[in-house]
Amino acid sequence: MSELQKTFITHDGTELFYRYRPAVSGATDKAIVLFHRGHEHSERMMCVADELGLDDFAYFAWDARGHGHSPGERGDSPSLGASVADIEAFVQHIQSAYQIEIKNIAVIAQSVGAVLVSTWLHDYAPKIRCAVLASPAFKVKLYVPFARAGLKLMQRFRGNFFVKSYVKAHYLTHDQQRIDSYNQDPLIARAISVRILLGLYDAADRVVADAPAITTPIQLLISGSDWVVHHAPQHDFYNRLGSHIKERHIFEGFYHDTLGEKDRALALAEVKRFIGERFAAAPAVVDCTQAHIYGASRTESDELATPLSVFTPRGAYWAFQRASLKLGAKWSMGLKLGHDTGFDSGSTLDYVYRNVPQGTNPIGDVIDKQYLNAIGWRGIRQRKLHIQQLIQVAMQQLRTADKPVHVLDIAAGHGRYVLDALTSTDKPDGIQLRDYSPTNVQAGTAMIAQRGLGDIATFSEVDAFNRQNYAELNPAPTLGIVSGLHELFPDNDLVMQSLLGLGDAITTGGYLIYTCQPWHPQLEMIARCLTSHRQGQAWVMRRRSQQEMDQLVERAGFRKLKQLIDEDGIFTVSLAIKT
């Protein structure tokens, strides 16, 4: 079958180039998606389609933005997160345009492409059949001492700039034909932007550390004589994987271009066998819904809840941090509010949304500004924007289907993020806001009155975890929202009561917007220093992987359609439809 050159529209409206080769056998139900190395492009990955020998599969290979025939400055992207979102859009395009189910898609990725795919597997939890990762660039060999720290410092002063690759083609492969083609290829992007290089490091650190969250069947191929990337993070990633089906192969003497090496037939034979076995068997799905009872996140939260003696170095350190925050609360309004109401309370979140530093003196102003600029609070504000974005998407879909828009938010806090999403030209037909806290209900009711929404909006004090509280809602909601609630409670059985209630209440064809926190870089600081809304208890969180959260939502009768995530990978917001 002849190869076709096509384009697709990604998440931000950019048109990216890809190659499509229909299955030699004429089959139309299975696909292998190829992701190229950094600096390269799709044509250099199509040798896999030529040589793999899996003729029942269609092959797709993209040019990442900033590479090959895709737009963007060479070697650059708006961010690494944007490139990962591009993968999600590409695979969704393949599903919709070619009618190939996600469970019948396998992925093969090399180097930088393998890091992007690993991040995608972690952050979006796609239900692909399997993935082959060849020499993932989890840690690039920067031979200059302190190069990473130096690049960060230079970026702070210079902004984004480009670093030219020092790697020569003869350090990538022993295959002279591949060496010559690399040297003569005008589409090779020999530079990489510093924001992508540093973003690559940050994403790799996060994904390797939290590899237990990835349960996709994985085959890891490691080049034994790799001049470009370090081996240790690859082994750490493999050892920590949550995949029940995984295998690792080390090819001694191979350079970095594993699938383009002179003896690549050895690697391709393993790839062919692995993919063949995975498609000969039923999809391997790991049930994550019991992670609150056993699993890595349960162990992590138990460790964070374990008290530390102040006579140990760690205990003394965190005691000092707690004392510092209490001192800062004398001058910082944000810190004081957190200590008074809980750092996870609706009042605190509303303060974070407003993002206006307030102190009792100039020192307090500085402290409050730093507090509001913490990475977690930045993520919270981005989550608010993502919720508003998906509210608009859901409202548009309901209007297109000629359905009313009746909104139910089961734990709205002060309700700001919902009310801010409304526009004067397209308001919902009705809004029911709920929260357990009388303080939040009072503040939210006042906000409704201030905005003149009393004719369509109500605010009630209701327990979100009592399934009976969702019975006989009139009118029945067509758009449910649950934001930031489930992240505060580790027990999945409790969370399911609210999700089942939403499943009972929302009409078929209606939508659910839900949030998740698959990662947080400050978990220990939060657990050791901050208090929750529950009578001053320590704020100890149990993270849920995206797969765990998606599976809980599915059990309540919903199917995920779309997901957004912040650049730091902390908070996700998803849109699902009631099936």
Side-chain angles (χ1 to χ4, degrees), residues 447-507:
M447 194 178 300
I448 288 172
Q450 291 168 3
R451 301 187 182 206
L453 298 173
D455 57 330
I456 62 170
T458 61
F459 210 132
S460 305
E461 183 181 338
V462 180
D463 179 4
F465 293 117
N466 185 341
R467 187 174 178 180
Q468 296 304 313
N469 289 337
Y470 297 84
E472 300 179 358
L473 283 170
N474 187 23
T478 56
L479 172 58
I481 302 171
V482 53
S483 171
L485 174 66
H486 296 150
E487 292 88 318
L488 305 181
F489 297 88
D491 187 349
N492 284 348
D493 294 332
L494 180 67
V495 166
M496 277 307 303
Q497 293 305 303
S498 64
L499 290 174
L500 290 170
L502 285 163
D504 295 339
I506 296 174
T507 58

Side-chain angles (χ1 to χ4, degrees), residues 63-109:
D63 287 355
R65 65 170 80 207
H67 295 76
H69 297 291
S70 286
E73 193 166 3
R74 301 299 84 183
D76 196 18
S77 171
S79 68
L80 192 100
S83 294
V84 176
D86 288 342
I87 293 180
E88 174 74 358
F90 186 30
V91 173
Q92 287 193 343
H93 168 76
I94 292 169
Q95 292 177 76
S96 61
Y98 300 90
Q99 299 301 299
I100 300 175
E101 293 184 73
I102 187 73
K103 67 180 181 180
N104 290 331
I105 292 177
V107 167
I108 301 175

Side-chain angles (χ1 to χ4, degrees), residues 305-423:
T306 303
L308 297 175
S309 169
V310 295
F311 298 107
T312 63
R314 280 181 63 211
Y317 172 80
W318 290 117
F320 174 77
Q321 294 296 324
R322 286 193 296 273
S324 298
L325 290 175
K326 287 182 179 179
L327 179 63
K330 296 180 180 297
W331 307 307
S332 160
M333 297 301 294
L335 286 173
K336 183 179 186 304
L337 183 64
H339 282 292
D340 290 345
T341 68
F343 286 90
D344 59 351
S345 68
S347 297
T348 291
L349 288 186
D350 194 67
Y351 187 81
V352 170
Y353 290 148
R354 286 184 277 128
N355 195 26
V356 179
Q358 298 179 57
T360 59
N361 55 42
I363 295 177
D365 291 340
V366 172
I367 294 173
D368 209 55
K369 184 175 182 180
Q370 291 178 331
Y371 167 73
L372 288 171
N373 199 42
I375 188 171
W377 293 147
R378 295 201 306 268
I380 286 287
R381 289 191 290 272
Q382 186 60 52
R383 184 180 73 181
K384 175 179 181 286
L385 297 177
H386 284 162
I387 292 171
Q388 293 172 197
Q389 182 178 338
L390 291 186
I391 286 175
Q392 293 299 319
V393 170
M395 288 176 63
Q396 182 179 3
Q397 293 295 325
L398 289 168
R399 297 297 191 202
T400 300
D402 198 26
K403 293 184 177 181
V405 180
H406 293 296
V407 179
L408 170 66
D409 189 311
I410 66 171
H414 288 193
R416 186 179 300 275
Y417 62 87
V418 177
L419 300 180
D420 283 352
L422 307 181
T423 66

Side-chain angles (χ1 to χ4, degrees), residues 51-347:
E51 301 172 14
L52 191 56
L54 291 172
D55 295 337
D56 289 339
F57 290 80
Y59 289 86
F60 298 85
W62 77 349
D63 287 355
R65 65 170 80 207
H67 295 76
H69 297 291
S70 286
E73 193 166 3
R74 301 299 84 183
D76 196 18
S77 171
S79 68
L80 192 100
S83 294
V84 176
D86 288 342
I87 293 180
E88 174 74 358
F90 186 30
V91 173
Q92 287 193 343
H93 168 76
I94 292 169
Q95 292 177 76
S96 61
Y98 300 90
Q99 299 301 299
I100 300 175
E101 293 184 73
I102 187 73
K103 67 180 181 180
N104 290 331
I105 292 177
V107 167
I108 301 175
Q110 281 214 108
S111 188
V112 171
V115 178
L116 294 177
V117 166
S118 300
T119 307
W120 174 60
L121 295 177
H122 178 277
D123 291 356
Y124 289 83
K127 299 178 182 179
I128 61 171
R129 186 67 64 99
C130 60
V132 177
L133 307 177
S135 300
F138 291 133
K139 186 178 181 182
V140 178
K141 291 182 177 180
L142 298 176
Y143 290 95
V144 178
F146 308 108
R148 185 177 176 184
L151 290 172
K152 285 185 176 181
L153 184 63
M154 292 172 66
Q155 184 189 33
R156 181 173 299 179
F157 290 100
R158 292 179 54 183
N160 191 39
F161 60 95
F162 289 80
V163 178
K164 189 172 182 179
S165 172
Y166 58 85
V167 179
K168 305 299 182 182
H170 59 269
Y171 289 123
L172 296 173
T173 176
H174 293 88
D175 187 324
Q176 189 60 49
Q177 184 177 355
R178 291 279 291 183
I179 293 171
D180 293 341
S181 67
Y182 185 93
N183 289 332
Q184 298 165 11
D185 191 336
L187 293 180
I188 294 293
R190 299 185 184 276
I192 184 172
S193 74
V194 71
R195 68 179 162 203
I196 295 302
L197 180 59
L198 294 176
L200 188 72
Y201 271 103
D202 292 340
D205 289 347
R206 175 166 62 87
V207 169
V208 170
D210 201 37
I214 299 175
T215 67
T216 306
I218 297 285
Q219 184 185 64
L220 178 63
L221 309 180
I222 298 177
S223 290
S225 299
D226 199 323
W227 291 85
V228 179
V229 302
H230 292 276
H231 287 148
Q234 298 174 356
H235 292 294
D236 290 341
F237 173 77
Y238 177 82
N239 293 336
R240 295 169 182 167
L241 274 173
S243 308
H244 288 191
I245 298 172
K246 62 179 181 177
E247 54 185 61
R248 168 176 50 189
H249 302 278
I250 303 172
F251 298 95
E252 297 298 339
F254 271 44
Y255 286 170
H256 183 59
D257 188 7
T258 315
L259 301 178
E261 256 291 11
K262 186 175 182 179
D263 295 327
R264 59 186 173 272
L266 298 174
L268 290 174
E270 297 292 353
V271 175
K272 181 179 181 179
R273 175 195 53 77
F274 178 71
I275 293 178
E277 289 175 357
R278 300 281 45 85
F279 277 83
V285 179
V286 176
D287 182 4
C288 298
T289 59
Q290 299 302 303
H292 63 300
I293 300 175
Y294 54 84
S297 65
R298 169 64 188 267
T299 300
E300 178 184 71
S301 65
D302 285 346
E303 290 174 349
L304 291 173
T306 303
L308 297 175
S309 169
V310 295
F311 298 107
T312 63
R314 280 181 63 211
Y317 172 80
W318 290 117
F320 174 77
Q321 294 296 324
R322 286 193 296 273
S324 298
L325 290 175
K326 287 182 179 179
L327 179 63
K330 296 180 180 297
W331 307 307
S332 160
M333 297 301 294
L335 286 173
K336 183 179 186 304
L337 183 64
H339 282 292
D340 290 345
T341 68
F343 286 90
D344 59 351
S345 68
S347 297

